[in-house]
PDB file of all heavy atoms in Angstrom:
ATOM      1  N   ILE B   6     -40.834  -7.315 -27.849  1.00  0.00           N
ATOM      2  CA  ILE B   6     -40.236  -6.784 -29.055  1.00  0.00           C
ATOM      3  C   ILE B   6     -38.916  -6.236 -28.551  1.00  0.00           C
ATOM      4  O   ILE B   6     -38.781  -5.137 -27.962  1.00  0.00           O
ATOM      5  CB  ILE B   6     -41.086  -5.692 -29.710  1.00  0.00           C
ATOM      6  CG1 ILE B   6     -42.463  -6.268 -30.071  1.00  0.00           C
ATOM      7  CG2 ILE B   6     -40.333  -5.128 -30.907  1.00  0.00           C
ATOM      8  CD1 ILE B   6     -43.403  -5.255 -30.713  1.00  0.00           C
ATOM      9  N   ILE B   7     -37.840  -6.922 -28.922  1.00  0.00           N
ATOM     10  CA  ILE B   7     -36.463  -6.544 -28.517  1.00  0.00           C
ATOM     11  C   ILE B   7     -35.763  -6.022 -29.724  1.00  0.00           C
ATOM     12  O   ILE B   7     -35.599  -6.744 -30.754  1.00  0.00           O
ATOM     13  CB  ILE B   7     -35.731  -7.720 -27.872  1.00  0.00           C
ATOM     14  CG1 ILE B   7     -36.498  -8.299 -26.762  1.00  0.00           C
ATOM     15  CG2 ILE B   7     -34.398  -7.139 -27.359  1.00  0.00           C
ATOM     16  CD1 ILE B   7     -35.753  -9.484 -26.079  1.00  0.00           C
ATOM     17  N   ASN B   8     -35.355  -4.851 -29.625  1.00  0.00           N
ATOM     18  CA  ASN B   8     -34.573  -4.162 -30.788  1.00  0.00           C
ATOM     19  C   ASN B   8     -35.335  -4.394 -32.030  1.00  0.00           C
ATOM     20  O   ASN B   8     -34.728  -4.746 -33.088  1.00  0.00           O
ATOM     21  CB  ASN B   8     -33.197  -4.758 -30.843  1.00  0.00           C
ATOM     22  CG  ASN B   8     -32.416  -4.527 -29.553  1.00  0.00           C
ATOM     23  OD1 ASN B   8     -32.710  -3.713 -28.754  1.00  0.00           O
ATOM     24  ND2 ASN B   8     -31.487  -5.450 -29.235  1.00  0.00           N
ATOM     25  N   ASN B   9     -36.700  -4.118 -32.036  1.00  0.00           N
ATOM     26  CA  ASN B   9     -37.537  -4.187 -33.176  1.00  0.00           C
ATOM     27  C   ASN B   9     -37.812  -5.597 -33.606  1.00  0.00           C
ATOM     28  O   ASN B   9     -38.298  -5.738 -34.770  1.00  0.00           O
ATOM     29  CB  ASN B   9     -36.950  -3.307 -34.318  1.00  0.00           C
ATOM     30  CG  ASN B   9     -37.337  -1.865 -33.985  1.00  0.00           C
ATOM     31  OD1 ASN B   9     -38.349  -1.535 -33.400  1.00  0.00           O
ATOM     32  ND2 ASN B   9     -36.380  -1.023 -34.416  1.00  0.00           N
ATOM     33  N   GLU B  10     -37.339  -6.593 -32.973  1.00  0.00           N
ATOM     34  CA  GLU B  10     -37.644  -8.013 -33.389  1.00  0.00           C
ATOM     35  C   GLU B  10     -38.611  -8.598 -32.323  1.00  0.00           C
ATOM     36  O   GLU B  10     -38.444  -8.523 -31.148  1.00  0.00           O
ATOM     37  CB  GLU B  10     -36.308  -8.844 -33.265  1.00  0.00           C
ATOM     38  CG  GLU B  10     -35.616  -8.905 -34.614  1.00  0.00           C
ATOM     39  CD  GLU B  10     -34.434  -9.887 -34.408  1.00  0.00           C
ATOM     40  OE1 GLU B  10     -33.448  -9.385 -33.764  1.00  0.00           O
ATOM     41  OE2 GLU B  10     -34.506 -11.002 -34.794  1.00  0.00           O
ATOM     42  N   LYS B  12     -39.986 -11.363 -30.164  1.00  0.00           N
ATOM     43  CA  LYS B  12     -39.349 -12.643 -29.492  1.00  0.00           C
ATOM     44  C   LYS B  12     -40.374 -13.242 -28.586  1.00  0.00           C
ATOM     45  O   LYS B  12     -41.160 -12.568 -28.037  1.00  0.00           O
ATOM     46  CB  LYS B  12     -38.125 -12.202 -28.727  1.00  0.00           C
ATOM     47  CG  LYS B  12     -37.055 -11.507 -29.550  1.00  0.00           C
ATOM     48  CD  LYS B  12     -36.071 -12.683 -29.973  1.00  0.00           C
ATOM     49  CE  LYS B  12     -35.053 -12.057 -30.967  1.00  0.00           C
ATOM     50  NZ  LYS B  12     -34.029 -12.997 -31.368  1.00  0.00           N
ATOM     51  N   LEU B  26     -32.431 -11.616 -20.538  1.00  0.00           N
ATOM     52  CA  LEU B  26     -31.757 -10.944 -21.718  1.00  0.00           C
ATOM     53  C   LEU B  26     -30.400 -11.521 -21.979  1.00  0.00           C
ATOM     54  O   LEU B  26     -30.070 -11.850 -23.030  1.00  0.00           O
ATOM     55  CB  LEU B  26     -31.759  -9.456 -21.456  1.00  0.00           C
ATOM     56  CG  LEU B  26     -33.097  -8.691 -21.539  1.00  0.00           C
ATOM     57  CD1 LEU B  26     -32.901  -7.233 -21.141  1.00  0.00           C
ATOM     58  CD2 LEU B  26     -33.702  -8.778 -22.925  1.00  0.00           C
ATOM     59  N   GLY B  30     -28.844 -13.999 -25.133  1.00  0.00           N
ATOM     60  CA  GLY B  30     -27.806 -13.538 -26.061  1.00  0.00           C
ATOM     61  C   GLY B  30     -27.521 -12.028 -26.077  1.00  0.00           C
ATOM     62  O   GLY B  30     -26.642 -11.591 -26.731  1.00  0.00           O
ATOM     63  N   TYR B  31     -28.301 -11.327 -25.315  1.00  0.00           N
ATOM     64  CA  TYR B  31     -28.052  -9.804 -25.261  1.00  0.00           C
ATOM     65  C   TYR B  31     -26.963  -9.572 -24.260  1.00  0.00           C
ATOM     66  O   TYR B  31     -27.250  -9.057 -23.130  1.00  0.00           O
ATOM     67  CB  TYR B  31     -29.386  -9.034 -24.999  1.00  0.00           C
ATOM     68  CG  TYR B  31     -30.460  -9.361 -26.055  1.00  0.00           C
ATOM     69  CD1 TYR B  31     -31.354 -10.401 -25.830  1.00  0.00           C
ATOM     70  CD2 TYR B  31     -30.478  -8.644 -27.198  1.00  0.00           C
ATOM     71  CE1 TYR B  31     -32.342 -10.668 -26.778  1.00  0.00           C
ATOM     72  CE2 TYR B  31     -31.370  -8.925 -28.141  1.00  0.00           C
ATOM     73  CZ  TYR B  31     -32.295  -9.988 -27.972  1.00  0.00           C
ATOM     74  OH  TYR B  31     -33.229 -10.172 -28.923  1.00  0.00           O
ATOM     75  N   LYS B  32     -25.726  -9.865 -24.598  1.00  0.00           N
ATOM     76  CA  LYS B  32     -24.660  -9.821 -23.658  1.00  0.00           C
ATOM     77  C   LYS B  32     -24.162  -8.372 -23.414  1.00  0.00           C
ATOM     78  O   LYS B  32     -23.394  -8.191 -22.491  1.00  0.00           O
ATOM     79  CB  LYS B  32     -23.490 -10.719 -24.087  1.00  0.00           C
ATOM     80  CG  LYS B  32     -23.850 -12.121 -24.371  1.00  0.00           C
ATOM     81  CD  LYS B  32     -24.041 -12.919 -23.132  1.00  0.00           C
ATOM     82  CE  LYS B  32     -24.100 -14.401 -23.440  1.00  0.00           C
ATOM     83  NZ  LYS B  32     -24.696 -15.133 -22.252  1.00  0.00           N
ATOM     84  N   GLY B  33     -24.649  -7.525 -24.189  1.00  0.00           N
ATOM     85  CA  GLY B  33     -24.296  -6.039 -23.974  1.00  0.00           C
ATOM     86  C   GLY B  33     -24.905  -5.507 -22.656  1.00  0.00           C
ATOM     87  O   GLY B  33     -24.462  -4.564 -22.160  1.00  0.00           O
ATOM     88  N   VAL B  34     -25.951  -6.256 -22.203  1.00  0.00           N
ATOM     89  CA  VAL B  34     -26.541  -5.889 -20.913  1.00  0.00           C
ATOM     90  C   VAL B  34     -25.774  -6.449 -19.848  1.00  0.00           C
ATOM     91  O   VAL B  34     -25.603  -7.668 -19.755  1.00  0.00           O
ATOM     92  CB  VAL B  34     -27.984  -6.357 -20.855  1.00  0.00           C
ATOM     93  CG1 VAL B  34     -28.717  -5.765 -19.685  1.00  0.00           C
ATOM     94  CG2 VAL B  34     -28.767  -6.129 -22.169  1.00  0.00           C
ATOM     95  N   ALA B  47     -28.841  -1.240 -17.757  1.00  0.00           N
ATOM     96  CA  ALA B  47     -29.972  -0.463 -18.192  1.00  0.00           C
ATOM     97  C   ALA B  47     -30.394  -0.838 -19.584  1.00  0.00           C
ATOM     98  O   ALA B  47     -29.544  -1.129 -20.535  1.00  0.00           O
ATOM     99  CB  ALA B  47     -29.543   1.036 -18.173  1.00  0.00           C
ATOM    100  N   VAL B  48     -31.768  -0.861 -19.784  1.00  0.00           N
ATOM    101  CA  VAL B  48     -32.338  -1.039 -21.086  1.00  0.00           C
ATOM    102  C   VAL B  48     -33.418  -0.019 -21.199  1.00  0.00           C
ATOM    103  O   VAL B  48     -33.865   0.542 -20.243  1.00  0.00           O
ATOM    104  CB  VAL B  48     -32.960  -2.506 -21.309  1.00  0.00           C
ATOM    105  CG1 VAL B  48     -31.804  -3.574 -21.143  1.00  0.00           C
ATOM    106  CG2 VAL B  48     -33.977  -2.766 -20.214  1.00  0.00           C
ATOM    107  N   LEU B  49     -33.960   0.176 -22.425  1.00  0.00           N
ATOM    108  CA  LEU B  49     -35.076   0.976 -22.573  1.00  0.00           C
ATOM    109  C   LEU B  49     -36.285   0.058 -22.495  1.00  0.00           C
ATOM    110  O   LEU B  49     -36.385  -0.925 -23.296  1.00  0.00           O
ATOM    111  CB  LEU B  49     -35.185   1.750 -23.908  1.00  0.00           C
ATOM    112  CG  LEU B  49     -33.969   2.715 -24.150  1.00  0.00           C
ATOM    113  CD1 LEU B  49     -34.158   3.416 -25.508  1.00  0.00           C
ATOM    114  CD2 LEU B  49     -34.031   3.817 -23.031  1.00  0.00           C
ATOM    115  N   ARG B  69     -41.885  -3.240 -25.339  1.00  0.00           N
ATOM    116  CA  ARG B  69     -40.813  -2.982 -26.223  1.00  0.00           C
ATOM    117  C   ARG B  69     -39.527  -2.732 -25.455  1.00  0.00           C
ATOM    118  O   ARG B  69     -39.430  -1.882 -24.577  1.00  0.00           O
ATOM    119  CB  ARG B  69     -41.148  -1.711 -27.115  1.00  0.00           C
ATOM    120  CG  ARG B  69     -41.859  -2.030 -28.432  1.00  0.00           C
ATOM    121  CD  ARG B  69     -42.165  -0.720 -29.126  1.00  0.00           C
ATOM    122  NE  ARG B  69     -42.781   0.317 -28.259  1.00  0.00           N
ATOM    123  CZ  ARG B  69     -42.111   1.394 -27.758  1.00  0.00           C
ATOM    124  NH1 ARG B  69     -40.941   1.661 -28.118  1.00  0.00           N
ATOM    125  NH2 ARG B  69     -42.795   2.249 -27.102  1.00  0.00           N
ATOM    126  N   ILE B  70     -38.473  -3.494 -25.833  1.00  0.00           N
ATOM    127  CA  ILE B  70     -37.207  -3.325 -25.126  1.00  0.00           C
ATOM    128  C   ILE B  70     -36.109  -2.945 -26.183  1.00  0.00           C
ATOM    129  O   ILE B  70     -36.102  -3.484 -27.233  1.00  0.00           O
ATOM    130  CB  ILE B  70     -36.878  -4.698 -24.348  1.00  0.00           C
ATOM    131  CG1 ILE B  70     -37.826  -4.864 -23.261  1.00  0.00           C
ATOM    132  CG2 ILE B  70     -35.455  -4.624 -23.948  1.00  0.00           C
ATOM    133  CD1 ILE B  70     -37.669  -6.114 -22.560  1.00  0.00           C
ATOM    134  N   VAL B  71     -35.306  -2.039 -25.764  1.00  0.00           N
ATOM    135  CA  VAL B  71     -34.128  -1.724 -26.561  1.00  0.00           C
ATOM    136  C   VAL B  71     -32.885  -1.975 -25.697  1.00  0.00           C
ATOM    137  O   VAL B  71     -32.822  -1.353 -24.588  1.00  0.00           O
ATOM    138  CB  VAL B  71     -34.104  -0.295 -27.055  1.00  0.00           C
ATOM    139  CG1 VAL B  71     -32.857  -0.017 -27.936  1.00  0.00           C
ATOM    140  CG2 VAL B  71     -35.393  -0.036 -27.943  1.00  0.00           C
ATOM    141  N   THR B  72     -31.977  -2.822 -26.182  1.00  0.00           N
ATOM    142  CA  THR B  72     -30.721  -3.048 -25.439  1.00  0.00           C
ATOM    143  C   THR B  72     -29.706  -2.299 -26.274  1.00  0.00           C
ATOM    144  O   THR B  72     -29.947  -1.789 -27.423  1.00  0.00           O
ATOM    145  CB  THR B  72     -30.371  -4.538 -25.341  1.00  0.00           C
ATOM    146  OG1 THR B  72     -30.072  -4.977 -26.675  1.00  0.00           O
ATOM    147  CG2 THR B  72     -31.501  -5.355 -24.828  1.00  0.00           C
ATOM    148  N   ILE B  73     -28.418  -2.276 -25.702  1.00  0.00           N
ATOM    149  CA  ILE B  73     -27.368  -1.574 -26.461  1.00  0.00           C
ATOM    150  C   ILE B  73     -27.272  -2.186 -27.935  1.00  0.00           C
ATOM    151  O   ILE B  73     -26.878  -1.425 -28.774  1.00  0.00           O
ATOM    152  CB  ILE B  73     -26.053  -1.648 -25.633  1.00  0.00           C
ATOM    153  CG1 ILE B  73     -25.019  -0.841 -26.302  1.00  0.00           C
ATOM    154  CG2 ILE B  73     -25.556  -3.186 -25.550  1.00  0.00           C
ATOM    155  CD1 ILE B  73     -25.286   0.545 -26.170  1.00  0.00           C
ATOM    156  N   GLU B  74     -27.533  -3.410 -28.029  1.00  0.00           N
ATOM    157  CA  GLU B  74     -27.318  -4.027 -29.391  1.00  0.00           C
ATOM    158  C   GLU B  74     -28.380  -3.420 -30.380  1.00  0.00           C
ATOM    159  O   GLU B  74     -28.141  -3.441 -31.562  1.00  0.00           O
ATOM    160  CB  GLU B  74     -27.660  -5.605 -29.311  1.00  0.00           C
ATOM    161  CG  GLU B  74     -26.525  -6.343 -28.603  1.00  0.00           C
ATOM    162  CD  GLU B  74     -26.721  -6.577 -27.107  1.00  0.00           C
ATOM    163  OE1 GLU B  74     -27.617  -5.847 -26.493  1.00  0.00           O
ATOM    164  OE2 GLU B  74     -26.034  -7.286 -26.434  1.00  0.00           O
ATOM    165  N   GLY B  75     -29.468  -2.852 -29.858  1.00  0.00           N
ATOM    166  CA  GLY B  75     -30.420  -2.210 -30.717  1.00  0.00           C
ATOM    167  C   GLY B  75     -30.180  -0.789 -31.009  1.00  0.00           C
ATOM    168  O   GLY B  75     -30.863  -0.139 -31.712  1.00  0.00           O
ATOM    169  N   ILE B  76     -29.193  -0.218 -30.309  1.00  0.00           N
ATOM    170  CA  ILE B  76     -28.941   1.169 -30.435  1.00  0.00           C
ATOM    171  C   ILE B  76     -28.105   1.431 -31.736  1.00  0.00           C
ATOM    172  O   ILE B  76     -28.320   2.381 -32.476  1.00  0.00           O
ATOM    173  CB  ILE B  76     -28.158   1.700 -29.275  1.00  0.00           C
ATOM    174  CG1 ILE B  76     -28.925   1.601 -27.932  1.00  0.00           C
ATOM    175  CG2 ILE B  76     -27.685   3.175 -29.495  1.00  0.00           C
ATOM    176  CD1 ILE B  76     -30.110   2.574 -27.761  1.00  0.00           C
ATOM    177  N   GLY B  77     -27.253   0.548 -32.039  1.00  0.00           N
ATOM    178  CA  GLY B  77     -26.462   0.689 -33.192  1.00  0.00           C
ATOM    179  C   GLY B  77     -25.380  -0.478 -33.264  1.00  0.00           C
ATOM    180  O   GLY B  77     -25.230  -1.194 -32.314  1.00  0.00           O
ATOM    181  N   THR B  78     -24.682  -0.528 -34.357  1.00  0.00           N
ATOM    182  CA  THR B  78     -23.742  -1.666 -34.544  1.00  0.00           C
ATOM    183  C   THR B  78     -22.393  -1.044 -34.881  1.00  0.00           C
ATOM    184  O   THR B  78     -22.315   0.174 -35.198  1.00  0.00           O
ATOM    185  CB  THR B  78     -24.149  -2.613 -35.584  1.00  0.00           C
ATOM    186  OG1 THR B  78     -24.252  -1.836 -36.839  1.00  0.00           O
ATOM    187  CG2 THR B  78     -25.503  -3.267 -35.392  1.00  0.00           C
ATOM    188  N   THR B  79     -21.342  -1.828 -34.948  1.00  0.00           N
ATOM    189  CA  THR B  79     -20.106  -1.251 -35.393  1.00  0.00           C
ATOM    190  C   THR B  79     -20.123  -0.682 -36.821  1.00  0.00           C
ATOM    191  O   THR B  79     -19.422   0.205 -37.167  1.00  0.00           O
ATOM    192  CB  THR B  79     -18.888  -2.423 -35.256  1.00  0.00           C
ATOM    193  OG1 THR B  79     -19.429  -3.602 -35.867  1.00  0.00           O
ATOM    194  CG2 THR B  79     -18.456  -2.611 -33.811  1.00  0.00           C
ATOM    195  N   LYS B  81     -22.980   0.359 -38.216  1.00  0.00           N
ATOM    196  CA  LYS B  81     -23.937   1.583 -38.254  1.00  0.00           C
ATOM    197  C   LYS B  81     -24.064   1.973 -36.768  1.00  0.00           C
ATOM    198  O   LYS B  81     -25.183   1.871 -36.208  1.00  0.00           O
ATOM    199  CB  LYS B  81     -25.225   1.197 -38.865  1.00  0.00           C
ATOM    200  CG  LYS B  81     -25.403   1.454 -40.333  1.00  0.00           C
ATOM    201  CD  LYS B  81     -26.832   1.232 -40.791  1.00  0.00           C
ATOM    202  CE  LYS B  81     -27.682   2.486 -40.641  1.00  0.00           C
ATOM    203  NZ  LYS B  81     -28.970   2.298 -41.135  1.00  0.00           N
ATOM    204  N   PRO B  82     -23.104   2.714 -36.259  1.00  0.00           N
ATOM    205  CA  PRO B  82     -23.290   3.082 -34.929  1.00  0.00           C
ATOM    206  C   PRO B  82     -24.134   4.255 -34.757  1.00  0.00           C
ATOM    207  O   PRO B  82     -24.326   5.112 -35.706  1.00  0.00           O
ATOM    208  CB  PRO B  82     -21.744   3.472 -34.513  1.00  0.00           C
ATOM    209  CG  PRO B  82     -21.075   3.694 -35.777  1.00  0.00           C
ATOM    210  CD  PRO B  82     -21.727   2.971 -36.813  1.00  0.00           C
ATOM    211  N   ASP B  83     -24.751   4.422 -33.600  1.00  0.00           N
ATOM    212  CA  ASP B  83     -25.544   5.521 -33.219  1.00  0.00           C
ATOM    213  C   ASP B  83     -24.646   6.659 -32.946  1.00  0.00           C
ATOM    214  O   ASP B  83     -23.489   6.483 -32.548  1.00  0.00           O
ATOM    215  CB  ASP B  83     -26.405   5.159 -32.005  1.00  0.00           C
ATOM    216  CG  ASP B  83     -27.301   6.349 -31.532  1.00  0.00           C
ATOM    217  OD1 ASP B  83     -26.849   7.184 -30.765  1.00  0.00           O
ATOM    218  OD2 ASP B  83     -28.495   6.336 -32.079  1.00  0.00           O
ATOM    219  N   PRO B  84     -25.030   7.969 -33.181  1.00  0.00           N
ATOM    220  CA  PRO B  84     -24.159   9.087 -32.880  1.00  0.00           C
ATOM    221  C   PRO B  84     -23.648   9.038 -31.445  1.00  0.00           C
ATOM    222  O   PRO B  84     -22.485   9.467 -31.152  1.00  0.00           O
ATOM    223  CB  PRO B  84     -25.055  10.266 -33.063  1.00  0.00           C
ATOM    224  CG  PRO B  84     -26.113   9.868 -34.006  1.00  0.00           C
ATOM    225  CD  PRO B  84     -26.248   8.357 -33.875  1.00  0.00           C
ATOM    226  N   LEU B  85     -24.479   8.550 -30.556  1.00  0.00           N
ATOM    227  CA  LEU B  85     -24.027   8.435 -29.120  1.00  0.00           C
ATOM    228  C   LEU B  85     -22.787   7.460 -29.060  1.00  0.00           C
ATOM    229  O   LEU B  85     -21.854   7.675 -28.342  1.00  0.00           O
ATOM    230  CB  LEU B  85     -25.091   7.883 -28.219  1.00  0.00           C
ATOM    231  CG  LEU B  85     -25.926   9.043 -27.521  1.00  0.00           C
ATOM    232  CD1 LEU B  85     -27.252   8.420 -26.985  1.00  0.00           C
ATOM    233  CD2 LEU B  85     -25.196   9.709 -26.398  1.00  0.00           C
ATOM    234  N   GLN B  86     -22.933   6.378 -29.760  1.00  0.00           N
ATOM    235  CA  GLN B  86     -21.821   5.412 -29.639  1.00  0.00           C
ATOM    236  C   GLN B  86     -20.537   5.956 -30.257  1.00  0.00           C
ATOM    237  O   GLN B  86     -19.527   5.752 -29.660  1.00  0.00           O
ATOM    238  CB  GLN B  86     -22.248   4.050 -30.350  1.00  0.00           C
ATOM    239  CG  GLN B  86     -23.378   3.399 -29.575  1.00  0.00           C
ATOM    240  CD  GLN B  86     -24.020   2.208 -30.355  1.00  0.00           C
ATOM    241  OE1 GLN B  86     -24.361   2.473 -31.516  1.00  0.00           O
ATOM    242  NE2 GLN B  86     -24.345   1.129 -29.701  1.00  0.00           N
ATOM    243  N   PRO B 102     -22.580   0.431 -22.146  1.00  0.00           N
ATOM    244  CA  PRO B 102     -23.875   0.203 -22.662  1.00  0.00           C
ATOM    245  C   PRO B 102     -24.967   0.942 -21.817  1.00  0.00           C
ATOM    246  O   PRO B 102     -25.918   1.572 -22.337  1.00  0.00           O
ATOM    247  CB  PRO B 102     -24.047  -1.345 -22.543  1.00  0.00           C
ATOM    248  CG  PRO B 102     -22.704  -1.815 -22.618  1.00  0.00           C
ATOM    249  CD  PRO B 102     -21.785  -0.803 -21.922  1.00  0.00           C
ATOM    250  N   GLY B 103     -24.888   0.764 -20.476  1.00  0.00           N
ATOM    251  CA  GLY B 103     -25.889   1.483 -19.629  1.00  0.00           C
ATOM    252  C   GLY B 103     -25.935   2.903 -19.739  1.00  0.00           C
ATOM    253  O   GLY B 103     -26.879   3.567 -19.750  1.00  0.00           O
ATOM    254  N   ILE B 105     -24.994   4.671 -22.322  1.00  0.00           N
ATOM    255  CA  ILE B 105     -25.553   4.998 -23.576  1.00  0.00           C
ATOM    256  C   ILE B 105     -27.081   4.945 -23.576  1.00  0.00           C
ATOM    257  O   ILE B 105     -27.751   5.712 -24.184  1.00  0.00           O
ATOM    258  CB  ILE B 105     -24.907   4.246 -24.780  1.00  0.00           C
ATOM    259  CG1 ILE B 105     -23.417   4.752 -24.842  1.00  0.00           C
ATOM    260  CG2 ILE B 105     -25.692   4.423 -26.057  1.00  0.00           C
ATOM    261  CD1 ILE B 105     -22.647   4.015 -25.963  1.00  0.00           C
ATOM    262  N   ILE B 106     -27.535   3.839 -22.946  1.00  0.00           N
ATOM    263  CA  ILE B 106     -29.028   3.689 -22.748  1.00  0.00           C
ATOM    264  C   ILE B 106     -29.579   4.982 -22.063  1.00  0.00           C
ATOM    265  O   ILE B 106     -30.634   5.508 -22.553  1.00  0.00           O
ATOM    266  CB  ILE B 106     -29.313   2.369 -22.054  1.00  0.00           C
ATOM    267  CG1 ILE B 106     -29.027   1.210 -23.077  1.00  0.00           C
ATOM    268  CG2 ILE B 106     -30.816   2.370 -21.621  1.00  0.00           C
ATOM    269  CD1 ILE B 106     -29.946   0.992 -24.184  1.00  0.00           C
ATOM    270  N   LYS B 109     -29.447   7.954 -24.276  1.00  0.00           N
ATOM    271  CA  LYS B 109     -30.391   7.778 -25.353  1.00  0.00           C
ATOM    272  C   LYS B 109     -31.759   8.208 -24.852  1.00  0.00           C
ATOM    273  O   LYS B 109     -32.528   8.905 -25.567  1.00  0.00           O
ATOM    274  CB  LYS B 109     -30.454   6.317 -25.833  1.00  0.00           C
ATOM    275  CG  LYS B 109     -31.212   6.163 -27.166  1.00  0.00           C
ATOM    276  CD  LYS B 109     -30.390   6.585 -28.300  1.00  0.00           C
ATOM    277  CE  LYS B 109     -31.258   6.706 -29.513  1.00  0.00           C
ATOM    278  NZ  LYS B 109     -30.551   7.394 -30.594  1.00  0.00           N
ATOM    279  N   ASN B 113     -33.841  11.240 -26.598  1.00  0.00           N
ATOM    280  CA  ASN B 113     -35.106  11.014 -27.206  1.00  0.00           C
ATOM    281  C   ASN B 113     -36.122  12.099 -26.710  1.00  0.00           C
ATOM    282  O   ASN B 113     -37.050  12.343 -27.503  1.00  0.00           O
ATOM    283  CB  ASN B 113     -35.619   9.611 -26.840  1.00  0.00           C
ATOM    284  CG  ASN B 113     -34.949   8.562 -27.768  1.00  0.00           C
ATOM    285  OD1 ASN B 113     -34.278   8.795 -28.791  1.00  0.00           O
ATOM    286  ND2 ASN B 113     -35.105   7.366 -27.313  1.00  0.00           N
TER     287      ASN B 113
ATOM    288  N   GLY C  37     -16.459  -1.583 -30.270  1.00  0.00           N
ATOM    289  CA  GLY C  37     -16.922  -2.812 -29.906  1.00  0.00           C
ATOM    290  C   GLY C  37     -17.544  -2.808 -28.494  1.00  0.00           C
ATOM    291  O   GLY C  37     -18.601  -3.338 -28.267  1.00  0.00           O
ATOM    292  N   LEU C  38     -16.967  -2.009 -27.672  1.00  0.00           N
ATOM    293  CA  LEU C  38     -17.466  -1.890 -26.270  1.00  0.00           C
ATOM    294  C   LEU C  38     -18.767  -1.072 -26.270  1.00  0.00           C
ATOM    295  O   LEU C  38     -19.738  -1.376 -25.578  1.00  0.00           O
ATOM    296  CB  LEU C  38     -16.406  -1.261 -25.353  1.00  0.00           C
ATOM    297  CG  LEU C  38     -15.185  -2.097 -25.057  1.00  0.00           C
ATOM    298  CD1 LEU C  38     -14.035  -1.366 -24.502  1.00  0.00           C
ATOM    299  CD2 LEU C  38     -15.581  -3.277 -24.070  1.00  0.00           C
ATOM    300  N   ALA C  39     -18.722   0.008 -27.078  1.00  0.00           N
ATOM    301  CA  ALA C  39     -19.889   0.813 -27.123  1.00  0.00           C
ATOM    302  C   ALA C  39     -21.144   0.313 -27.763  1.00  0.00           C
ATOM    303  O   ALA C  39     -22.226   0.747 -27.586  1.00  0.00           O
ATOM    304  CB  ALA C  39     -19.517   2.233 -27.780  1.00  0.00           C
ATOM    305  N   THR C  40     -20.859  -0.764 -28.499  1.00  0.00           N
ATOM    306  CA  THR C  40     -22.051  -1.387 -29.167  1.00  0.00           C
ATOM    307  C   THR C  40     -22.402  -2.693 -28.488  1.00  0.00           C
ATOM    308  O   THR C  40     -23.329  -3.412 -28.821  1.00  0.00           O
ATOM    309  CB  THR C  40     -21.741  -1.699 -30.578  1.00  0.00           C
ATOM    310  OG1 THR C  40     -20.524  -2.326 -30.750  1.00  0.00           O
ATOM    311  CG2 THR C  40     -21.725  -0.428 -31.439  1.00  0.00           C
ATOM    312  N   GLY C  41     -21.639  -2.944 -27.350  1.00  0.00           N
ATOM    313  CA  GLY C  41     -22.069  -4.135 -26.536  1.00  0.00           C
ATOM    314  C   GLY C  41     -21.565  -5.479 -27.021  1.00  0.00           C
ATOM    315  O   GLY C  41     -22.018  -6.535 -26.572  1.00  0.00           O
ATOM    316  N   ILE C  42     -20.669  -5.483 -28.043  1.00  0.00           N
ATOM    317  CA  ILE C  42     -20.295  -6.795 -28.561  1.00  0.00           C
ATOM    318  C   ILE C  42     -18.964  -7.420 -27.993  1.00  0.00           C
ATOM    319  O   ILE C  42     -18.729  -8.515 -28.038  1.00  0.00           O
ATOM    320  CB  ILE C  42     -20.204  -6.813 -30.058  1.00  0.00           C
ATOM    321  CG1 ILE C  42     -19.253  -5.770 -30.589  1.00  0.00           C
ATOM    322  CG2 ILE C  42     -21.618  -6.725 -30.692  1.00  0.00           C
ATOM    323  CD1 ILE C  42     -18.910  -5.900 -32.026  1.00  0.00           C
TER     324      ILE C  42
END
Side-chain angles (χ1 to χ4, degrees):
Chain B
I6 300 177
I7 308 184
N8 304 335
N9 284 326
E10 264 185 283
K12 295 270 176 174
L26 289 173
Y31 301 93
K32 303 289 189 190
V34 190
V48 299
L49 296 180
R69 271 179 306 109
I70 290 175
V71 180
T72 68
I73 188 67
E74 289 90 348
I76 299 283
T78 60
T79 44
K81 265 187 89 177
D83 184 270
L85 266 166
Q86 291 167 317
I105 289 178
I106 290 288
K109 189 76 193 167
N113 281 345
Chain C
L38 291 163
T40 50
I42 55 167

